[in-house]
Amino acid sequence: MVPMNETSLWIFGYGSLIYKVDFPYLERRPASINGWVRRFWQGSHDHRGLPDAPGRVVTLSPQANIICKGMAYRVEPSVLEHLDFREQNGYARLITEIDFADDCRTDGVVYIATEKNDAFLGDAPLHEIAAHIQRSAGPSGSNRAYLLQLADALRDLSVHDAHVFDLESLILKWPSQQGC
Ligand code: BEZ
């Protein structure tokens, strides 16, 4: 069941939800969730790739004693319908504990694409993931721009994510196809 009082609930963003905020929110706060690591392991057929040439976007993989930092938003329940549609390519809602910097904690929703979904790509050598991102694009733009925007958004939050930043370093050695 979605945890909510009568008018709002918290959602936790760790990927495009950090920087692409195309929904109204009542409040937003840097936050983290425990036991998950951010990885470019999900295929994208609808945003950063195409059905016959999927891109690679982030999902969360379970890992003990790791925290994933991102941004939490307090939203009206109707926002979930918008996000269910926006992130329909393999992501499902999970209820999780969300921790805020001031030691406050709440239950909330996070979207995760597990290894059981059809679009899941999983792990690969980092240079292969980078090359995959470099060549992919879809209706929402280039996969490269997605990675660079996410890296910038994490830096703005003072979050160091070695997986994302190592991919960014590899990608920045190659020229942009589309000026970004
Ligand atoms: C997120 O930024 O939390 C997110 C990423 C992909 C799908 C849904 C949510």
Side-chain angles (χ1 to χ4, degrees), residues 12-18 57-59 71 83 86-87 91 110-113 146 150:
F12 176 78
Y14 58 90
S16 60
L17 286 192
I18 300 177
V57 291
V58 287
T59 183
M71 184 67 85
L83 292 176
R86 173 177 143 179
E87 307 298 351
Y91 291 89
V110 61
Y111 284 84
I112 294 181
Y146 171 95
L150 177 57

Side-chain angles (χ1 to χ4, degrees), residues 135-165:
R135 68 174 178 265
S136 300
S140 297
S142 73
N143 208 168
R144 175 184 166 102
Y146 171 95
L147 165 61
L148 298 182
Q149 275 180 291
L150 177 57
D152 277 343
L154 292 173
R155 261 189 298 276
D156 287 347
L157 279 174
S158 301
V159 172
H160 183 82
D161 185 314
H163 177 74
V164 174
F165 291 163

Side-chain angles (χ1 to χ4, degrees), residues 1-147:
M1 208 174 83
V2 175
M4 63 177 87
N5 61 29
E6 282 162 19
T7 55
S8 69
L9 70 143
W10 284 93
I11 56 172
F12 176 78
Y14 58 90
S16 60
L17 286 192
I18 300 177
Y19 66 83
K20 185 181 174 192
V21 189
D22 59 354
F23 51 86
Y25 61 87
L26 304 163
E27 196 180 342
R28 96 172 146 177
R29 297 173 67 184
S32 61
I33 60 174
N34 191 12
W36 296 96
V37 66
R38 186 175 7 238
R39 289 288 180 261
F40 269 81
W41 287 0
Q42 173 65 3
S44 175
H45 303 77
D46 54 351
H47 284 298
R48 302 295 174 156
L50 299 169
D52 59 351
R56 267 189 182 260
V57 291
V58 287
T59 183
L60 295 178
S61 179
Q63 191 166 315
N65 304 318
I66 289 275
I67 65 167
C68 176
K69 294 184 178 177
M71 184 67 85
Y73 303 84
R74 188 163 66 84
V75 298
E76 294 181 355
S78 59
V79 166
L80 288 181
E81 287 161 39
H82 167 71
L83 292 176
D84 285 352
F85 180 75
R86 173 177 143 179
E87 307 298 351
Q88 59 187 288
N89 190 196
Y91 291 89
R93 297 180 200 169
L94 183 81
I95 307 301
T96 185
E97 280 183 346
I98 300 175
D99 295 310
F100 300 110
D102 58 3
D103 283 341
C104 283
R105 174 176 283 182
T106 185
D107 280 345
V109 173
V110 61
Y111 284 84
I112 294 181
T114 74
E115 59 190 10
K116 292 200 170 72
N117 86 87
D118 289 344
F120 189 77
L121 295 173
D123 199 6
L126 210 64
H127 67 276
E128 283 180 21
I129 296 180
H132 189 155
I133 292 169
Q134 170 73 1
R135 68 174 178 265
S136 300
S140 297
S142 73
N143 208 168
R144 175 184 166 102
Y146 171 95
L147 165 61

